[in-house]
Amino acid sequence: MSVYKSLFDIIGPVMIGPSSSHTAGAVRIGLVARSIFGMTPAEVRIVLFGSFAHTYQGHGTDLALISGLLGLTTSSEKIRQAYDLAAKANMKVTIETGDDPTEHANTVDLYLKSADHTLSLRGVSLGGGTIDITRINGFDIHLSGENPAIMFFYKDQPGIVTQVTGVLAEANINISTMEVSRKGKGELALMLIATDGKIPASVMEEIGRIGHIDQVIALGVLNVEPNLISDSAEKEEYSYDPQITENNQFM
Amino acid sequence: MIHKLQKIISLCEQEGIALHEYFLRTEVEEIGDTEEDILQHMEQNLTVMEQAAQQGIEGVKSRSGMTGGDAKLLAEYLQSGNALSGSIYTRAMVYATAVNEVNAAMGVICATPTAGSSGTLPGVLFAIRNHLNLSRREQINFLITAAGCGIVIGNQASISGAEGGCQAEVGSAAAMSAAAAVEACGGSPSQSGHALAIALKNLLGLSCDPVAGLVEVPCIKRNTAGVVIAISSAEMSLAGVKSRIPVDEVIDTMGKIGRMLPPALRETALGGLAQTETGLKMAKQLEESGHIDMESIFGGGDHV
């Protein structure tokens, strides 16, 4: 499997240290969970496995996951204050470690809860900040956050795939990958479609009008770093003086 | 994306193009971004690397108290004019240490390919860029070549310490840097391949055994040593020395060795240096007080 596709999977992300797999990757898993959930959850249970479980404190993996769930990016200096920010946002957090063997060393299960909905999700950090979401509400799936995507739950029955792809084709949107996972014939199913281009709101609405489809969730691209350093005060601190590195005594 | 580096090298040599041209073209084709956007994004990353290097040379301290200040020491040593290995090697060591110390201090860095190995590549680039008179665009080309080689390594083997040990992190970083350095010096794509293979061979088997689970000890010094392997491998290849084992076989071997490494040596802090008497002492102190007092660990005296 080609895990790495873009040059920026290797040179990047720009991030707060100390670990791309344990810090940046964890922020991204939190971010995907947040974007699927659609809001800041009231309660989060975090269960860490493997290397995540053994070294999360040293790497700030807990801080990183909470930061992602709060919507911070990998380069935010606020990651260090994640617990305080969670308290301010009324997000209750519990951290546990699990012994069950998992396929990959850096695995985390997230259980999100709010007054009216819940979400469970398994995230794997593959290295260099690259991630894979391998399970959503018990459905096996692969979601990297590298492409725009839509996902929705629906009642399994003939014709749904054709209707959805028809809407996308009409809007001239090319599908890059597509996954369908179901509990059983005629039961609840999950469809995940990654596309080459952004999906306009009107297309989302049209898909939402197809019968037997629950709310359609849009997922953005994770590997775009919105702002290298977001706060202006922090910008000052890192202002780059070319004199120092271009012509200093070491060059 | 082609999965074998040798195929990419042959294709470049047939078409008479450089590796960075191939990798840039592939990025445009497969990701769909414009050339301009890619170059601009890469330049932003380059700037982050420069800022981190600058910050580290000025001196930082990690939150645990375990590391920081060594880039400053190395810079002063370089200035003394007594450096045994001359200015390029020692400069590379200064920059590599600086960036990794900033990473350990939870500062802003660019992963190359990971945060734990974020010092090696800027270390090599910043040490050679003035000597070679590299333009801004040529420095970006250096990053593109390194990144493209990293994609191949990551897909064929691994760039994750948890999966493949430090050989997958600093090993990959040194290999990518060696290939890019050869190109920056005017070497052929095939020479880049040999440099990559030689660098990676010299770091095969390296464990990932961070003390207290932190990306500090021995990670920072492994980046400092990684630049030396990268530059010496580039030198060998530019001199015409060839890797006797083909590049893709070396990359595959790194992946295989990674899978053979016990989990204790793959970023779990359950083996290696993390489990030494002193490593455990530091971990215990960190757990109890949230900070490591290096003076109390070493009784205030010198240590070896």
Side-chain angles (χ1 to χ4, degrees), chain A residues 1 3-4 21-22 51 103-107 124-128 130 132, chain B residues 114 153-169 206-208 254-268:
Chain A
M1 187 177 88
V3 177
Y4 307 100
S21 55
H22 289 64
S51 169
E103 223 168 273
H104 194 277
N106 296 320
T107 300
V124 171
S125 182
L126 298 166
T130 304
D132 190 13
Chain B
T114 62
I153 296 173
N155 288 335
Q156 254 190 76
S158 172
I159 55 161
S160 155
E163 212 174 71
C166 193
Q167 55 158 10
E169 296 209 22
L206 197 60
S207 61
C208 178
M254 189 268 274
K256 280 182 190 148
I257 291 176
R259 288 188 287 277
M260 289 162 84
L261 281 176
L265 299 179
R266 285 191 270 125
E267 213 173 332
T268 53

mmCIF file of all heavy atoms in Angstrom, chain A residues 1 3-4 21-22 51 103-107 124-128 130 132, chain B residues 114 153-169 206-208 254-268:
data_model
loop_
_atom_site.group_PDB
_atom_site.id
_atom_site.type_symbol
_atom_site.label_atom_id
_atom_site.label_comp_id
_atom_site.label_asym_id
_atom_site.label_seq_id
_atom_site.Cartn_x
_atom_site.Cartn_y
_atom_site.Cartn_z
ATOM 1 N N MET A 1 0.843 -1.203 0.000
ATOM 2 C CA MET A 1 0.000 0.000 0.000
ATOM 3 C C MET A 1 0.876 1.250 0.000
ATOM 4 O O MET A 1 1.855 1.311 0.722
ATOM 5 C CB MET A 1 -0.883 -0.016 1.252
ATOM 6 C CG MET A 1 -1.914 1.082 1.262
ATOM 7 S SD MET A 1 -3.028 1.003 2.702
ATOM 8 C CE MET A 1 -2.144 1.943 3.917
ATOM 9 N N VAL A 3 1.418 4.462 1.367
ATOM 10 C CA VAL A 3 0.967 5.314 2.460
ATOM 11 C C VAL A 3 1.290 6.772 2.136
ATOM 12 O O VAL A 3 0.521 7.671 2.418
ATOM 13 C CB VAL A 3 1.659 4.897 3.769
ATOM 14 C CG1 VAL A 3 1.255 5.827 4.909
ATOM 15 C CG2 VAL A 3 1.316 3.459 4.111
ATOM 16 N N TYR A 4 2.478 6.972 1.540
ATOM 17 C CA TYR A 4 2.944 8.331 1.284
ATOM 18 C C TYR A 4 2.800 8.663 -0.199
ATOM 19 O O TYR A 4 3.290 7.930 -1.055
ATOM 20 C CB TYR A 4 4.405 8.471 1.739
ATOM 21 C CG TYR A 4 4.571 8.029 3.168
ATOM 22 C CD1 TYR A 4 5.075 6.767 3.477
ATOM 23 C CD2 TYR A 4 4.182 8.856 4.216
ATOM 24 C CE1 TYR A 4 5.195 6.346 4.793
ATOM 25 C CE2 TYR A 4 4.292 8.438 5.532
ATOM 26 C CZ TYR A 4 4.804 7.179 5.814
ATOM 27 O OH TYR A 4 4.899 6.772 7.116
ATOM 28 N N SER A 21 4.794 11.249 14.942
ATOM 29 C CA SER A 21 3.791 10.189 15.070
ATOM 30 C C SER A 21 2.979 10.353 16.344
ATOM 31 O O SER A 21 1.778 10.141 16.344
ATOM 32 C CB SER A 21 4.451 8.814 15.033
ATOM 33 O OG SER A 21 5.453 8.728 16.013
ATOM 34 N N HIS A 22 3.643 10.749 17.437
ATOM 35 C CA HIS A 22 2.960 10.791 18.729
ATOM 36 C C HIS A 22 2.329 12.148 19.036
ATOM 37 O O HIS A 22 1.495 12.256 19.919
ATOM 38 C CB HIS A 22 3.930 10.427 19.853
ATOM 39 C CG HIS A 22 4.306 8.976 19.846
ATOM 40 N ND1 HIS A 22 5.002 8.404 18.815
ATOM 41 C CD2 HIS A 22 4.073 7.987 20.733
ATOM 42 C CE1 HIS A 22 5.188 7.129 19.079
ATOM 43 N NE2 HIS A 22 4.638 6.854 20.229
ATOM 44 N N SER A 51 2.729 1.717 21.575
ATOM 45 C CA SER A 51 3.696 2.765 21.907
ATOM 46 C C SER A 51 2.988 4.027 22.421
ATOM 47 O O SER A 51 3.503 4.734 23.286
ATOM 48 C CB SER A 51 4.548 3.077 20.671
ATOM 49 O OG SER A 51 5.310 4.222 20.869
ATOM 50 N N GLU A 103 -3.050 -3.838 15.444
ATOM 51 C CA GLU A 103 -2.265 -4.076 14.236
ATOM 52 C C GLU A 103 -1.042 -3.169 14.164
ATOM 53 O O GLU A 103 -0.001 -3.547 13.686
ATOM 54 C CB GLU A 103 -3.157 -3.816 13.031
ATOM 55 C CG GLU A 103 -3.022 -4.854 11.940
ATOM 56 C CD GLU A 103 -4.140 -4.680 10.942
ATOM 57 O OE1 GLU A 103 -5.230 -5.263 11.150
ATOM 58 O OE2 GLU A 103 -3.912 -3.945 9.981
ATOM 59 N N HIS A 104 -1.193 -1.944 14.630
ATOM 60 C CA HIS A 104 -0.115 -0.966 14.536
ATOM 61 C C HIS A 104 0.272 -0.476 15.929
ATOM 62 O O HIS A 104 -0.551 -0.444 16.831
ATOM 63 C CB HIS A 104 -0.556 0.209 13.651
ATOM 64 C CG HIS A 104 0.577 1.082 13.245
ATOM 65 N ND1 HIS A 104 1.052 2.082 14.070
ATOM 66 C CD2 HIS A 104 1.352 1.099 12.136
ATOM 67 C CE1 HIS A 104 2.067 2.667 13.457
ATOM 68 N NE2 HIS A 104 2.265 2.098 12.281
ATOM 69 N N ALA A 105 1.550 -0.089 16.070
ATOM 70 C CA ALA A 105 2.069 0.296 17.388
ATOM 71 C C ALA A 105 1.385 1.541 17.950
ATOM 72 O O ALA A 105 1.187 1.642 19.154
ATOM 73 C CB ALA A 105 3.565 0.533 17.290
ATOM 74 N N ASN A 106 1.026 2.499 17.091
ATOM 75 C CA ASN A 106 0.445 3.746 17.581
ATOM 76 C C ASN A 106 -1.042 3.791 17.274
ATOM 77 O O ASN A 106 -1.458 4.306 16.250
ATOM 78 C CB ASN A 106 1.142 4.943 16.938
ATOM 79 C CG ASN A 106 2.593 5.015 17.336
ATOM 80 O OD1 ASN A 106 2.950 4.768 18.483
ATOM 81 N ND2 ASN A 106 3.450 5.347 16.385
ATOM 82 N N THR A 107 -1.825 3.240 18.185
ATOM 83 C CA THR A 107 -3.267 3.145 17.941
ATOM 84 C C THR A 107 -4.025 3.801 19.087
ATOM 85 O O THR A 107 -3.620 3.700 20.242
ATOM 86 C CB THR A 107 -3.678 1.660 17.816
ATOM 87 O OG1 THR A 107 -2.962 1.084 16.727
ATOM 88 C CG2 THR A 107 -5.175 1.503 17.578
ATOM 89 N N VAL A 124 -4.947 5.437 13.741
ATOM 90 C CA VAL A 124 -3.610 4.873 13.757
ATOM 91 C C VAL A 124 -2.663 5.941 13.232
ATOM 92 O O VAL A 124 -2.942 6.588 12.223
ATOM 93 C CB VAL A 124 -3.555 3.617 12.856
ATOM 94 C CG1 VAL A 124 -2.141 3.137 12.671
ATOM 95 C CG2 VAL A 124 -4.425 2.513 13.426
ATOM 96 N N SER A 125 -1.546 6.155 13.929
ATOM 97 C CA SER A 125 -0.554 7.114 13.456
ATOM 98 C C SER A 125 0.574 6.343 12.796
ATOM 99 O O SER A 125 1.223 5.514 13.415
ATOM 100 C CB SER A 125 -0.032 7.933 14.641
ATOM 101 O OG SER A 125 0.886 8.877 14.169
ATOM 102 N N LEU A 126 0.768 6.599 11.502
ATOM 103 C CA LEU A 126 1.664 5.750 10.710
ATOM 104 C C LEU A 126 3.100 6.243 10.678
ATOM 105 O O LEU A 126 3.991 5.570 10.196
ATOM 106 C CB LEU A 126 1.133 5.652 9.276
ATOM 107 C CG LEU A 126 -0.245 5.008 9.132
ATOM 108 C CD1 LEU A 126 -0.799 5.272 7.751
ATOM 109 C CD2 LEU A 126 -0.181 3.520 9.413
ATOM 110 N N GLY A 127 3.357 7.444 11.167
ATOM 111 C CA GLY A 127 4.705 8.014 11.105
ATOM 112 C C GLY A 127 4.708 9.268 10.250
ATOM 113 O O GLY A 127 3.944 9.375 9.290
ATOM 114 N N GLY A 128 5.569 10.213 10.629
ATOM 115 C CA GLY A 128 5.686 11.448 9.845
ATOM 116 C C GLY A 128 4.423 12.292 9.851
ATOM 117 O O GLY A 128 4.272 13.178 9.025
ATOM 118 N N THR A 130 1.444 11.175 9.231
ATOM 119 C CA THR A 130 0.423 10.536 8.393
ATOM 120 C C THR A 130 -0.453 9.617 9.258
ATOM 121 O O THR A 130 0.059 8.916 10.119
ATOM 122 C CB THR A 130 1.093 9.716 7.272
ATOM 123 O OG1 THR A 130 1.942 10.598 6.544
ATOM 124 C CG2 THR A 130 0.076 9.118 6.326
ATOM 125 N N ASP A 132 -4.270 7.093 9.652
ATOM 126 C CA ASP A 132 -5.324 6.307 9.017
ATOM 127 C C ASP A 132 -6.419 6.092 10.065
ATOM 128 O O ASP A 132 -6.127 5.649 11.166
ATOM 129 C CB ASP A 132 -4.747 4.960 8.552
ATOM 130 C CG ASP A 132 -5.711 4.184 7.671
ATOM 131 O OD1 ASP A 132 -6.711 4.779 7.218
ATOM 132 O OD2 ASP A 132 -5.455 2.986 7.441
ATOM 133 N N THR B 114 10.398 12.901 9.975
ATOM 134 C CA THR B 114 9.639 12.914 11.223
ATOM 135 C C THR B 114 10.186 14.031 12.104
ATOM 136 O O THR B 114 11.205 14.645 11.781
ATOM 137 C CB THR B 114 9.787 11.574 11.959
ATOM 138 O OG1 THR B 114 11.168 11.388 12.298
ATOM 139 C CG2 THR B 114 9.312 10.407 11.119
ATOM 140 N N ILE B 153 11.155 5.471 0.235
ATOM 141 C CA ILE B 153 11.590 4.751 1.443
ATOM 142 C C ILE B 153 10.385 4.436 2.337
ATOM 143 O O ILE B 153 10.222 3.317 2.827
ATOM 144 C CB ILE B 153 12.637 5.582 2.241
ATOM 145 C CG1 ILE B 153 13.918 5.770 1.415
ATOM 146 C CG2 ILE B 153 12.968 4.899 3.563
ATOM 147 C CD1 ILE B 153 14.937 6.728 2.054
ATOM 148 N N GLY B 154 9.524 5.434 2.521
ATOM 149 C CA GLY B 154 8.361 5.242 3.385
ATOM 150 C C GLY B 154 7.418 4.159 2.872
ATOM 151 O O GLY B 154 6.891 3.362 3.653
ATOM 152 N N ASN B 155 7.217 4.115 1.572
ATOM 153 C CA ASN B 155 6.301 3.123 1.009
ATOM 154 C C ASN B 155 6.931 1.734 0.896
ATOM 155 O O ASN B 155 6.246 0.721 1.003
ATOM 156 C CB ASN B 155 5.795 3.579 -0.366
ATOM 157 C CG ASN B 155 4.811 4.735 -0.239
ATOM 158 O OD1 ASN B 155 4.170 4.903 0.796
ATOM 159 N ND2 ASN B 155 4.711 5.549 -1.270
ATOM 160 N N GLN B 156 8.252 1.694 0.672
ATOM 161 C CA GLN B 156 8.914 0.388 0.549
ATOM 162 C C GLN B 156 9.297 -0.181 1.905
ATOM 163 O O GLN B 156 9.340 -1.387 2.094
ATOM 164 C CB GLN B 156 10.205 0.558 -0.266
ATOM 165 C CG GLN B 156 10.120 0.024 -1.677
ATOM 166 C CD GLN B 156 11.492 0.013 -2.335
ATOM 167 O OE1 GLN B 156 12.320 -0.832 -2.053
ATOM 168 N NE2 GLN B 156 11.747 0.970 -3.201
ATOM 169 N N ALA B 157 9.657 0.703 2.847
ATOM 170 C CA ALA B 157 10.115 0.249 4.165
ATOM 171 C C ALA B 157 9.305 0.976 5.229
ATOM 172 O O ALA B 157 8.158 0.618 5.466
ATOM 173 C CB ALA B 157 11.611 0.510 4.311
ATOM 174 N N SER B 158 9.872 2.008 5.836
ATOM 175 C CA SER B 158 9.157 2.735 6.884
ATOM 176 C C SER B 158 9.890 4.027 7.214
ATOM 177 O O SER B 158 11.095 4.128 7.026
ATOM 178 C CB SER B 158 9.089 1.866 8.142
ATOM 179 O OG SER B 158 8.568 2.622 9.223
ATOM 180 N N ILE B 159 9.144 5.013 7.704
ATOM 181 C CA ILE B 159 9.799 6.197 8.269
ATOM 182 C C ILE B 159 9.320 6.399 9.711
ATOM 183 O O ILE B 159 9.389 7.491 10.242
ATOM 184 C CB ILE B 159 9.531 7.480 7.443
ATOM 185 C CG1 ILE B 159 8.026 7.709 7.265
ATOM 186 C CG2 ILE B 159 10.232 7.446 6.107
ATOM 187 C CD1 ILE B 159 7.672 9.135 6.883
ATOM 188 N N SER B 160 8.853 5.334 10.317
ATOM 189 C CA SER B 160 8.319 5.444 11.674
ATOM 190 C C SER B 160 9.169 4.659 12.659
ATOM 191 O O SER B 160 9.419 3.468 12.463
ATOM 192 C CB SER B 160 6.876 4.931 11.672
ATOM 193 O OG SER B 160 6.509 4.481 12.955
ATOM 194 N N GLY B 161 9.616 5.334 13.709
ATOM 195 C CA GLY B 161 10.421 4.676 14.742
ATOM 196 C C GLY B 161 9.658 3.572 15.435
ATOM 197 O O GLY B 161 10.228 2.547 15.815
ATOM 198 N N ALA B 162 8.352 3.761 15.585
ATOM 199 C CA ALA B 162 7.528 2.754 16.250
ATOM 200 C C ALA B 162 7.413 1.502 15.386
ATOM 201 O O ALA B 162 7.181 0.410 15.873
ATOM 202 C CB ALA B 162 6.147 3.315 16.542
ATOM 203 N N GLU B 163 7.590 1.685 14.095
ATOM 204 C CA GLU B 163 7.470 0.567 13.171
ATOM 205 C C GLU B 163 8.834 -0.029 12.835
ATOM 206 O O GLU B 163 8.989 -1.241 12.767
ATOM 207 C CB GLU B 163 6.811 1.088 11.886
ATOM 208 C CG GLU B 163 5.951 0.118 11.165
ATOM 209 C CD GLU B 163 5.257 0.821 10.004
ATOM 210 O OE1 GLU B 163 5.916 1.162 9.009
ATOM 211 O OE2 GLU B 163 4.057 1.062 10.143
ATOM 212 N N GLY B 164 9.834 0.840 12.641
ATOM 213 C CA GLY B 164 11.117 0.347 12.139
ATOM 214 C C GLY B 164 12.345 0.758 12.929
ATOM 215 O O GLY B 164 13.471 0.525 12.492
ATOM 216 N N GLY B 165 12.178 1.363 14.090
ATOM 217 C CA GLY B 165 13.333 1.807 14.867
ATOM 218 C C GLY B 165 13.917 3.097 14.320
ATOM 219 O O GLY B 165 13.385 3.674 13.369
ATOM 220 N N CYS B 166 15.027 3.528 14.910
ATOM 221 C CA CYS B 166 15.632 4.798 14.507
ATOM 222 C C CYS B 166 16.198 4.734 13.087
ATOM 223 O O CYS B 166 16.294 5.738 12.402
ATOM 224 C CB CYS B 166 16.723 5.208 15.495
ATOM 225 S SG CYS B 166 17.265 6.909 15.283
ATOM 226 N N GLN B 167 16.571 3.548 12.628
ATOM 227 C CA GLN B 167 17.036 3.409 11.238
ATOM 228 C C GLN B 167 15.979 3.943 10.263
ATOM 229 O O GLN B 167 16.330 4.426 9.192
ATOM 230 C CB GLN B 167 17.377 1.946 10.928
ATOM 231 C CG GLN B 167 16.214 1.010 11.210
ATOM 232 C CD GLN B 167 16.266 -0.320 10.473
ATOM 233 O OE1 GLN B 167 17.270 -0.653 9.860
ATOM 234 N NE2 GLN B 167 15.182 -1.067 10.509
ATOM 235 N N ALA B 168 14.695 3.835 10.647
ATOM 236 C CA ALA B 168 13.615 4.324 9.780
ATOM 237 C C ALA B 168 13.466 5.843 9.867
ATOM 238 O O ALA B 168 12.915 6.466 8.973
ATOM 239 C CB ALA B 168 12.291 3.652 10.142
ATOM 240 N N GLU B 169 13.969 6.429 10.932
ATOM 241 C CA GLU B 169 13.840 7.886 11.098
ATOM 242 C C GLU B 169 15.145 8.588 10.708
ATOM 243 O O GLU B 169 15.244 9.150 9.629
ATOM 244 C CB GLU B 169 13.427 8.222 12.536
ATOM 245 C CG GLU B 169 12.045 7.655 12.860
ATOM 246 C CD GLU B 169 11.288 8.465 13.893
ATOM 247 O OE1 GLU B 169 11.580 9.645 14.091
ATOM 248 O OE2 GLU B 169 10.373 7.881 14.527
ATOM 249 N N LEU B 206 19.585 0.388 13.607
ATOM 250 C CA LEU B 206 19.584 1.347 14.722
ATOM 251 C C LEU B 206 18.245 1.300 15.474
ATOM 252 O O LEU B 206 17.190 1.445 14.883
ATOM 253 C CB LEU B 206 19.839 2.754 14.177
ATOM 254 C CG LEU B 206 20.274 3.821 15.189
ATOM 255 C CD1 LEU B 206 21.576 3.438 15.883
ATOM 256 C CD2 LEU B 206 20.440 5.166 14.504
ATOM 257 N N SER B 207 18.335 1.105 16.788
ATOM 258 C CA SER B 207 17.124 0.978 17.593
ATOM 259 C C SER B 207 16.536 2.337 17.939
ATOM 260 O O SER B 207 17.224 3.352 17.868
ATOM 261 C CB SER B 207 17.439 0.227 18.882
ATOM 262 O OG SER B 207 18.406 0.950 19.615
ATOM 263 N N CYS B 208 15.263 2.343 18.311
ATOM 264 C CA CYS B 208 14.605 3.562 18.793
ATOM 265 C C CYS B 208 14.323 3.316 20.272
ATOM 266 O O CYS B 208 13.419 2.562 20.619
ATOM 267 C CB CYS B 208 13.312 3.789 18.006
ATOM 268 S SG CYS B 208 12.392 5.245 18.558
ATOM 269 N N MET B 254 16.031 -2.443 5.112
ATOM 270 C CA MET B 254 15.705 -1.602 6.270
ATOM 271 C C MET B 254 14.301 -1.948 6.788
ATOM 272 O O MET B 254 14.095 -2.095 7.999
ATOM 273 C CB MET B 254 15.807 -0.127 5.884
ATOM 274 C CG MET B 254 15.705 0.825 7.057
ATOM 275 S SD MET B 254 14.040 1.367 7.361
ATOM 276 C CE MET B 254 13.940 2.759 6.222
ATOM 277 N N GLY B 255 13.354 -2.106 5.874
ATOM 278 C CA GLY B 255 11.993 -2.472 6.278
ATOM 279 C C GLY B 255 11.958 -3.815 6.984
ATOM 280 O O GLY B 255 11.303 -3.981 8.014
ATOM 281 N N LYS B 256 12.711 -4.780 6.421
ATOM 282 C CA LYS B 256 12.726 -6.135 7.014
ATOM 283 C C LYS B 256 13.357 -6.117 8.401
ATOM 284 O O LYS B 256 12.852 -6.751 9.328
ATOM 285 C CB LYS B 256 13.507 -7.097 6.099
ATOM 286 C CG LYS B 256 12.678 -7.576 4.930
ATOM 287 C CD LYS B 256 13.448 -8.557 4.068
ATOM 288 C CE LYS B 256 12.684 -8.818 2.778
ATOM 289 N NZ LYS B 256 13.587 -9.092 1.658
ATOM 290 N N ILE B 257 14.476 -5.406 8.532
ATOM 291 C CA ILE B 257 15.129 -5.327 9.848
ATOM 292 C C ILE B 257 14.175 -4.673 10.849
ATOM 293 O O ILE B 257 14.071 -5.110 11.989
ATOM 294 C CB ILE B 257 16.473 -4.561 9.755
ATOM 295 C CG1 ILE B 257 17.491 -5.386 8.974
ATOM 296 C CG2 ILE B 257 17.010 -4.228 11.157
ATOM 297 C CD1 ILE B 257 18.825 -4.685 8.728
ATOM 298 N N GLY B 258 13.458 -3.660 10.396
ATOM 299 C CA GLY B 258 12.490 -2.990 11.268
ATOM 300 C C GLY B 258 11.457 -3.964 11.814
ATOM 301 O O GLY B 258 11.140 -3.944 13.002
ATOM 302 N N ARG B 259 10.975 -4.832 10.931
ATOM 303 C CA ARG B 259 9.963 -5.799 11.373
ATOM 304 C C ARG B 259 10.555 -6.854 12.308
ATOM 305 O O ARG B 259 9.848 -7.464 13.109
ATOM 306 C CB ARG B 259 9.294 -6.456 10.155
ATOM 307 C CG ARG B 259 8.364 -5.501 9.414
ATOM 308 C CD ARG B 259 7.549 -6.181 8.331
ATOM 309 N NE ARG B 259 8.352 -6.526 7.170
ATOM 310 C CZ ARG B 259 8.653 -5.659 6.174
ATOM 311 N NH1 ARG B 259 8.218 -4.413 6.241
ATOM 312 N NH2 ARG B 259 9.381 -6.056 5.161
ATOM 313 N N MET B 260 11.885 -7.080 12.185
ATOM 314 C CA MET B 260 12.546 -8.056 13.064
ATOM 315 C C MET B 260 12.891 -7.468 14.427
ATOM 316 O O MET B 260 13.134 -8.205 15.379
ATOM 317 C CB MET B 260 13.834 -8.555 12.397
ATOM 318 C CG MET B 260 13.586 -9.463 11.201
ATOM 319 S SD MET B 260 15.079 -9.591 10.175
ATOM 320 C CE MET B 260 15.937 -10.873 11.064
ATOM 321 N N LEU B 261 12.949 -6.152 14.526
ATOM 322 C CA LEU B 261 13.301 -5.529 15.803
ATOM 323 C C LEU B 261 12.206 -5.837 16.828
ATOM 324 O O LEU B 261 11.026 -5.706 16.525
ATOM 325 C CB LEU B 261 13.414 -4.001 15.658
ATOM 326 C CG LEU B 261 14.683 -3.404 15.054
ATOM 327 C CD1 LEU B 261 14.519 -1.890 14.925
ATOM 328 C CD2 LEU B 261 15.905 -3.712 15.897
ATOM 329 N N PRO B 262 12.613 -6.200 18.053
ATOM 330 C CA PRO B 262 11.583 -6.434 19.077
ATOM 331 C C PRO B 262 10.885 -5.117 19.422
ATOM 332 O O PRO B 262 11.502 -4.049 19.331
ATOM 333 C CB PRO B 262 12.385 -6.955 20.266
ATOM 334 C CG PRO B 262 13.779 -6.497 20.036
ATOM 335 C CD PRO B 262 13.968 -6.387 18.556
ATOM 336 N N PRO B 263 9.617 -5.180 19.833
ATOM 337 C CA PRO B 263 8.895 -3.948 20.184
ATOM 338 C C PRO B 263 9.643 -3.106 21.224
ATOM 339 O O PRO B 263 9.511 -1.880 21.220
ATOM 340 C CB PRO B 263 7.572 -4.465 20.755
ATOM 341 C CG PRO B 263 7.382 -5.794 20.127
ATOM 342 C CD PRO B 263 8.755 -6.365 19.914
ATOM 343 N N ALA B 264 10.430 -3.733 22.087
ATOM 344 C CA ALA B 264 11.169 -2.988 23.119
ATOM 345 C C ALA B 264 12.122 -1.969 22.501
ATOM 346 O O ALA B 264 12.486 -0.985 23.140
ATOM 347 C CB ALA B 264 11.940 -3.952 24.007
ATOM 348 N N LEU B 265 12.537 -2.197 21.245
ATOM 349 C CA LEU B 265 13.475 -1.286 20.582
ATOM 350 C C LEU B 265 12.779 -0.429 19.530
ATOM 351 O O LEU B 265 13.406 0.109 18.627
ATOM 352 C CB LEU B 265 14.622 -2.083 19.949
ATOM 353 C CG LEU B 265 15.471 -2.885 20.935
ATOM 354 C CD1 LEU B 265 16.563 -3.655 20.201
ATOM 355 C CD2 LEU B 265 16.089 -1.980 22.000
ATOM 356 N N ARG B 266 11.454 -0.336 19.625
ATOM 357 C CA ARG B 266 10.714 0.471 18.657
ATOM 358 C C ARG B 266 9.860 1.511 19.379
ATOM 359 O O ARG B 266 8.660 1.397 19.458
ATOM 360 C CB ARG B 266 9.861 -0.432 17.755
ATOM 361 C CG ARG B 266 10.698 -1.171 16.725
ATOM 362 C CD ARG B 266 9.853 -1.854 15.664
ATOM 363 N NE ARG B 266 9.503 -3.217 16.035
ATOM 364 C CZ ARG B 266 8.248 -3.680 16.076
ATOM 365 N NH1 ARG B 266 7.243 -2.884 15.775
ATOM 366 N NH2 ARG B 266 8.001 -4.910 16.421
ATOM 367 N N GLU B 267 10.507 2.487 19.925
ATOM 368 C CA GLU B 267 9.862 3.676 20.478
ATOM 369 C C GLU B 267 8.980 3.426 21.699
ATOM 370 O O GLU B 267 8.173 4.278 22.059
ATOM 371 C CB GLU B 267 9.031 4.384 19.385
ATOM 372 C CG GLU B 267 9.009 5.896 19.549
ATOM 373 C CD GLU B 267 8.329 6.612 18.397
ATOM 374 O OE1 GLU B 267 8.345 6.085 17.271
ATOM 375 O OE2 GLU B 267 7.804 7.719 18.623
ATOM 376 N N THR B 268 9.125 2.271 22.351
ATOM 377 C CA THR B 268 8.280 1.999 23.517
ATOM 378 C C THR B 268 8.978 2.377 24.821
ATOM 379 O O THR B 268 8.355 2.353 25.876
ATOM 380 C CB THR B 268 7.920 0.507 23.586
ATOM 381 O OG1 THR B 268 9.145 -0.247 23.516
ATOM 382 C CG2 THR B 268 7.005 0.106 22.453
#
